[in-house]
Amino acid sequence: AQSVTQPDIHITVSEGASLELRCNYSYGATPYLFWYVQSPGQGLQLLLKYFSGDTLVQGIKGFEAEFKRSQSSFNLRKPSVHWSDAAEYFCAVGAPSGGNEKLTFGTGTRLTIIP
Amino acid sequence: DTEVTQTPKHLVMGMTNKKSLKCEQHMGHRAMYWYKQKAKKPPELMFVYSYEKLSINESVPSRFSPECPNSSLLNLHLHALQPEDSALYLCASSQDLTAWETQYFGPGTRLLVL
């Protein structure tokens, strides 16, 4: 079965600084990888996804992520964060599980932005 | 239009009440999902419908009863809930039930069981 690890529970970054959120996955084949963002009290919004091709993926709101098969990682980056980026970020892997295909989410990373 | 709508936004119910959560999408998606999310936790999958048939039930207690009346609507009927069922209930939809499809989430219904 697939699994996702987000090692950082909480990250604090100054506004304007760069950001990297870590995600490691476990899956036997090439996984389908997603990053979702959730603002407080809201649903989840897709930032970007990877399933084949170029390993550097561009998403919305200036985010990008790089798939590294050798490290089983799919880290999310942004060169300069804005106060509105404060939210919970979930990495997820989509893979067949028990005959049914579904998303498996990591535990999330809460991002705090300080002025 | 990539919107999934959920009603109500908030719901307070007693343990003997019966209530329903409603989810709607008009994107022509054929897979619809119910998730439960506790505070500071990731969403947990509860049910999946594909082409209006129940495809996945993640061993959810029978006090939760899903229904898919048509391809645009998904309901979750609640009966005799427990206080530990208090959570944010998220609905999502995707083009179909395949691992690479993007799931589009609604804003959720925040449920409090007293």
Side-chain angles (χ1 to χ4, degrees), chain A:
Chain A
Q2 69 272 21
S3 66
V4 179
T5 301
Q6 293 181 249
D8 304 305
I9 296 173
H10 184 203
I11 284 183
T12 299
V13 176
S14 297
E15 190 168 15
S18 64
L19 171 70
E20 183 169 30
L21 302 182
R22 296 184 290 164
C23 172
N24 292 97
Y25 68 89
S26 172
Y27 182 60
T30 300
Y32 306 112
L33 294 162
F34 304 78
W35 274 102
Y36 282 88
V37 61
Q38 185 177 31
S39 297
Q42 299 296 313
L44 281 72
Q45 181 183 26
L46 180 73
L47 287 175
L48 47 79
K49 68 178 182 181
Y50 170 82
F51 54 92
S52 68
D54 193 345
T55 56
L56 185 62
V57 181
Q58 302 297 321
I60 62 171
K61 304 186 182 191
F63 285 92
E64 66 177 27
E66 187 170 13
F67 171 61
K68 293 186 177 179
R69 184 189 303 275
S70 61
Q71 298 176 20
S72 297
S73 69
F74 188 56
N75 294 348
L76 183 71
R77 301 193 294 249
K78 186 170 185 177
S80 175
V81 297
H82 186 262
W83 63 267
S84 60
D85 294 323
E88 189 85 22
Y89 290 79
F90 293 99
C91 182
V93 59
S97 177
N100 291 302
E101 301 191 7
K102 57 185 180 182
L103 278 183
T104 298
F105 287 92
T107 49
T109 298
R110 182 160 59 96
L111 176 64
T112 297
I113 308 294
I114 54 176

Side-chain angles (χ1 to χ4, degrees), chain B residues 78-93:
Chain B
L78 315 173
H79 174 53
L81 293 194
Q82 304 297 309
E84 59 265 29
D85 296 322
S86 299
L88 182 68
Y89 287 84
L90 294 165
C91 175
S93 70

